[in-house]
Amino acid sequence: MTLERLGDHELFETSTRFAHLNALRGHLGLTALEAPAIPPEPSTPTAGIEIEMTWRQAFKDMHDPWLHSKVVPRYDLDIKSAEYKAFHANYTRNYTQLIPRLHSLTPVIPRVGEDSFWEFSFRPTKDPAVANAELTTLYDAGILFEDIPYPTHMTLAGITSIRDAAAILCRLEQAGGTTPERLASPEHSKKGTWMQKGMGGIRKRNTHELEGNDTVAYEFRTLVTTSPEQMDRVFRLGQELAHTCLHSPTEWKIERNKVEALLVANGLPLRMWGHPNREPLVWETYRSTFEKK
């Protein structure tokens, strides 16, 4: 299959994005998806997501016993043992089969970085139907699997205030966009996971880091994806909140005040929190708010 990456001038055309995606779906042996009849409003904020996948998540026939295992084979197993040799053979077989399929996705869903086994970087869009169709394709193709919490970053364009960004992220987290385990993950990671860049899981993005005409955005790094339906809800809510923030200041102040009141009621400071290793009680208290629901 010869499929080229779309140019920037085509990036925000919903019909073009669907046609491009459907060419990929045909290559994957999947039926085409229909583009929505009504395009998004021009004022809809641009959004995009990135999803990280580990080898434990990628290789379905190795989910048992490896998906939730704390054993790191190359460090914790004797490489001469039968257990390691069996692991290595299965890993090599899965890797050899999956990698060409993953590379075939990149004209539509590029790969960025090598922080994980694979990172899917969905190109930005104003139309949530585009993002949902691309994400659904990964599940339809048996590349992602429902109920596995994949670490996810979401970027929302147009927001200029970190206070507003923090309130939006809190709403997304509280609306099913994350888990207590995801919020706790930096405490057990040598590389810092979502705290690697930015404070409180938030990082500002500038013009040279963005596709399209947007000049500023905030990236939210504490989220997870567990299914196309779950992420579609989070994606649409993010755009809705960003739109309110940008175009309905009075309504947005009411919304932001509700978020901040929730934090204050739980004894949480209204400032950017430090790394969980430095302020463990703050993060532990915030995680407890999920258990109260």
Side-chain angles (χ1 to χ4, degrees):
M1 178 189 70
T2 302
L3 189 61
E4 300 294 331
R5 179 185 172 102
L6 289 179
D8 290 350
H9 65 289
E10 303 172 292
L11 196 55
F12 296 97
E13 298 174 1
T14 293
S15 60
T16 302
R17 290 285 290 268
F18 266 81
H20 195 229
L21 174 64
N22 283 330
L24 173 63
R25 288 180 64 90
H27 171 72
L28 296 172
L30 304 173
T31 57
L33 297 176
E34 186 174 350
I38 302 175
E41 291 293 326
S43 61
T44 302
T46 302
I49 57 174
E50 296 177 0
I51 296 177
E52 296 178 2
M53 177 177 70
T54 67
W55 67 264
R56 297 173 190 269
Q57 296 164 335
F59 302 154
K60 185 176 182 180
D61 69 358
M62 294 178 70
H63 284 177
D64 184 18
W66 293 107
L67 181 58
H68 302 295
S69 175
K70 295 181 180 180
V71 174
V72 180
R74 62 177 175 170
Y75 297 126
D76 298 335
L77 299 180
D78 181 350
I79 63 172
K80 296 181 180 180
S81 67
E83 184 179 8
Y84 182 83
K85 290 178 180 178
F87 160 78
H88 187 266
N90 287 334
Y91 182 99
T92 301
R93 173 177 49 80
N94 276 283
Y95 182 93
T96 302
Q97 293 173 351
L98 183 57
I99 286 297
R101 298 189 75 211
L102 294 177
H103 279 294
S104 75
L105 305 172
T106 57
V108 177
I109 306 172
R111 181 189 188 188
V112 293
E114 296 184 357
D115 289 343
S116 192
F117 176 79
W118 200 269
E119 186 170 350
F120 304 96
S121 179
F122 297 73
R123 300 184 73 188
T125 181
K126 289 182 177 293
D127 196 333
V130 168
N132 182 249
E134 292 176 351
L135 179 58
T136 296
T137 296
L138 297 186
Y139 283 88
D140 289 348
I143 293 169
L144 298 183
F145 306 98
E146 293 205 16
D147 298 324
I148 291 179
Y150 299 96
T152 300
H153 301 168
M154 175 184 290
T155 299
L156 284 170
I159 307 164
T160 59
S161 160
I162 196 166
R163 181 183 180 185
D164 293 335
I168 290 173
L169 176 56
C170 184
R171 280 282 281 114
L172 296 180
E173 291 169 339
Q174 295 284 329
T178 194
T179 63
E181 294 76 19
R182 172 65 171 155
L183 293 173
S185 60
E187 298 177 14
H188 313 292
S189 172
K190 293 180 180 179
K191 69 176 183 178
T193 60
W194 51 261
M195 285 300 304
Q196 190 173 15
K197 298 174 182 175
M199 290 292 292
I202 298 174
R203 184 189 182 197
K204 189 175 183 179
R205 295 287 193 176
N206 297 306
T207 304
H208 68 280
E209 299 174 292
L210 303 172
E211 292 189 270
N213 297 321
D214 293 296
T215 58
V216 66
Y218 274 94
E219 180 184 37
F220 306 132
R221 305 171 66 88
T222 60
L223 305 176
V224 297
T225 296
T226 57
S227 71
E229 294 76 18
Q230 173 262 352
M231 182 43 60
D232 186 51
R233 291 193 299 272
V234 173
F235 194 97
R236 290 174 184 271
L237 176 60
Q239 288 185 304
E240 177 186 333
L241 292 169
H243 187 274
T244 302
C245 174
L246 296 171
H247 301 287
S248 304
T250 301
E251 184 180 348
W252 171 245
K253 287 180 181 178
I254 294 172
E255 181 67 37
R256 188 180 65 193
N257 287 342
K258 289 179 181 178
V259 172
E260 294 178 349
L262 169 68
L263 298 177
V264 170
N266 283 279
L268 292 163
L270 295 182
R271 57 172 171 77
M272 296 310 298
W273 306 335
H275 192 285
N277 287 338
R278 298 192 187 99
E279 296 193 86
L281 291 179
V282 171
W283 288 95
E284 183 179 343
T285 300
Y286 182 58
R287 292 197 299 271
S288 73
T289 66
F290 292 79
E291 299 168 1
K292 297 175 183 178
K293 292 184 178 182

